[in-house]
Amino acid sequence: MTQGQLPRTGMDPDEVVRRRLHAQRLRGPGLGAPEDAVRHLLAVQAQEFPYARWSLAQRTGSLGPAVGAPSHRVAATSTSVATAAEVEEAVSDGRILRTHILRPTWHFVHREDLRWLTALSAPRLHQGNAGMYRQTGIDAAAADRSGQVLAEAVRGGSHLTREQLASRLQDEGFAATGFQLAYLIMHAEISGILTSGSPVRSRGGSLKQTYALFDERVPAGSPGPPTRAEALSELVRRYFTSRGPATVKDCADWSGLTMADVRLGLQQTLAAAPETLATLVIDGVEHYFDAGAEGGSEAGNATAAAGPRIDLIQCYDEYVMGYSATRHYLGGSAPAFPVAGDPMHVVLLDGRMAGCWRHTMFSGRCELDIRLSAAADRATEDAVQDAVDRYGAFLGIPAARVGSGVKLEGHI
């Protein structure tokens, strides 16, 4: 906020939800390709790869009526979204990289952002992992030696699985099992030695992570902020324009940075380009969002006219994990450990949590277990079917909802 500029006061909760949906590209014009979705969101949590692919795809394409949809089905649906195969191709050829960064956990990051984002977050990641490094015997000397072993193992385009890396480390005297193996590899990722390679198919048909040399997958001349101050500003700007309205604490918890760092990034962003972010106060706390974005009352009226909208999102989707202090706008508790075998992924009804879901893959088909937290009317059931159709189009195989759904207690 520039000197003398006063923040707006108050915003209707429905408008907060609408703006977040548009900022996250779950509404409005989609992005052109999976890597564009990653660039927009900067980092996308991705520990469950099969579901994380969908997080990218559902932010591509455009919104419109499903081709051939019955006239009574009025919910907006996505057409021409990226397919699972297209997301996998972007990961395989390195346009999108999957690595440990930020808090840390697995994230998708665009290759042109990974170098500066790694430099910015590495000190805090190593600091946060220090206890596990000590517990697993990874001191400075061990980290340096293992890093050299791992770099040589993958040099020249040799993309290796975790098990293959373990074998190379064991040949050099490391135990390289359990947590030690996990943290040796993670140390190398955080240190800019390893990043994701081209996945390989397991015997069961699922994709298996490989690792490659960071410098062979991440362009040395990638455009990006060369200084820490500029990197803070870039991260903060991209966070609030892709997830706002949100707070400083939301951004700090998402990024793993301190609130002081986020405030510094905000100060620099608003000083350099005050027109970039708008500021408002909700319940006494300042929120920031893209000053030029749509998503207010007009967008809300258009959505209401189109009918209810169901979105099937992964439980680690950025619409969930992008917030901490203000996650209550989701209208439910997520992510959560499943109870008694319940699905753990999230069903959204017009942007608010309305149940849970999961997929089960078979040869040539997908079955979706979708459980709503309240009885659904005809329009909502039609919206659920639209969501099933979208997921099937993404997978490129028929998808069907199984069972009648189970009413869940305590979600909203």
Side-chain angles (χ1 to χ4, degrees), residues 18 41 88 243 374:
R18 287 192 295 267
L41 291 167
E88 292 169 7
R243 292 168 178 81

Side-chain angles (χ1 to χ4, degrees), residues 310-333:
I310 289 286
D311 292 285
L312 306 178
I313 65 172
Q314 65 152 330
C315 63
Y316 303 114
D317 191 272
E318 292 303 310
Y319 189 73
V320 177
M321 302 306 297
Y323 314 95
S324 55
T326 64
R327 195 178 290 171
H328 58 271
Y329 287 105
L330 179 67
S333 179

Side-chain angles (χ1 to χ4, degrees), residues 90-175:
V91 173
S92 182
D93 67 18
R95 285 172 282 156
I96 297 170
L97 298 169
R98 181 174 179 258
T99 191
H100 285 89
I101 204 162
L102 298 180
R103 291 182 293 278
T105 188
W106 288 109
H107 281 84
F108 287 138
V109 180
H110 195 284
R111 64 184 173 193
E112 292 185 355
D113 288 317
L114 184 56
R115 189 174 293 274
W116 69 265
L117 197 54
T118 297
L120 177 64
S121 60
R124 286 190 62 81
L125 294 179
H126 283 313
Q127 181 183 28
N129 285 346
M132 287 302 298
Y133 292 159
R134 289 191 297 271
Q135 183 178 325
T136 54
I138 304 174
D139 57 15
D144 180 67
R145 190 163 67 89
S146 66
Q148 294 179 36
V149 171
L150 292 169
E152 286 305 312
V154 298
R155 194 177 304 280
S158 181
H159 298 185
L160 301 181
T161 66
R162 176 189 176 103
E163 292 77 15
Q164 290 170 322
L165 292 181
S167 179
R168 299 297 182 91
L169 287 167
Q170 289 162 3
D171 289 344
E172 298 298 326
F174 291 91

Side-chain angles (χ1 to χ4, degrees), residues 77-265:
T77 62
S78 294
T79 59
S80 303
V81 299
T83 64
E86 288 170 335
V87 176
E88 292 169 7
E89 182 182 2
V91 173
S92 182
D93 67 18
R95 285 172 282 156
I96 297 170
L97 298 169
R98 181 174 179 258
T99 191
H100 285 89
I101 204 162
L102 298 180
R103 291 182 293 278
T105 188
W106 288 109
H107 281 84
F108 287 138
V109 180
H110 195 284
R111 64 184 173 193
E112 292 185 355
D113 288 317
L114 184 56
R115 189 174 293 274
W116 69 265
L117 197 54
T118 297
L120 177 64
S121 60
R124 286 190 62 81
L125 294 179
H126 283 313
Q127 181 183 28
N129 285 346
M132 287 302 298
Y133 292 159
R134 289 191 297 271
Q135 183 178 325
T136 54
I138 304 174
D139 57 15
D144 180 67
R145 190 163 67 89
S146 66
Q148 294 179 36
V149 171
L150 292 169
E152 286 305 312
V154 298
R155 194 177 304 280
S158 181
H159 298 185
L160 301 181
T161 66
R162 176 189 176 103
E163 292 77 15
Q164 290 170 322
L165 292 181
S167 179
R168 299 297 182 91
L169 287 167
Q170 289 162 3
D171 289 344
E172 298 298 326
F174 291 91
T177 59
F179 282 123
Q180 189 195 68
L181 174 61
Y183 279 87
L184 285 172
I185 292 175
M186 191 187 302
H187 193 290
E189 290 178 278
I190 296 169
S191 301
I193 296 170
L194 295 180
T195 192
S196 61
S198 298
V200 295
R201 291 281 177 191
S202 68
R203 289 184 178 180
S206 61
L207 285 176
K208 190 175 184 63
Q209 173 92 16
T210 69
Y211 296 85
L213 192 66
F214 186 99
D215 285 341
E216 292 179 353
R217 295 283 270 182
V218 183
S222 298
T227 69
R228 187 173 190 276
E230 290 171 331
L232 285 173
S233 179
E234 178 73 0
L235 181 145
V236 166
R237 180 187 66 82
R238 300 222 344 234
Y239 171 84
F240 285 111
T241 54
S242 64
R243 292 168 178 81
T247 68
V248 166
K249 181 166 177 54
D250 287 324
C251 182
D253 289 345
W254 173 81
S255 65
L257 297 172
T258 66
M259 292 177 68
D261 277 340
V262 174
R263 290 192 182 100
L264 178 59

Side-chain angles (χ1 to χ4, degrees), residues 15-34:
E15 185 178 353
V16 174
V17 169
R18 287 192 295 267
R19 286 187 177 276
R20 286 184 175 180
L21 288 168
H22 278 259
Q24 293 239 359
R25 297 303 180 96
L26 290 170
R27 295 292 184 276
L31 295 155

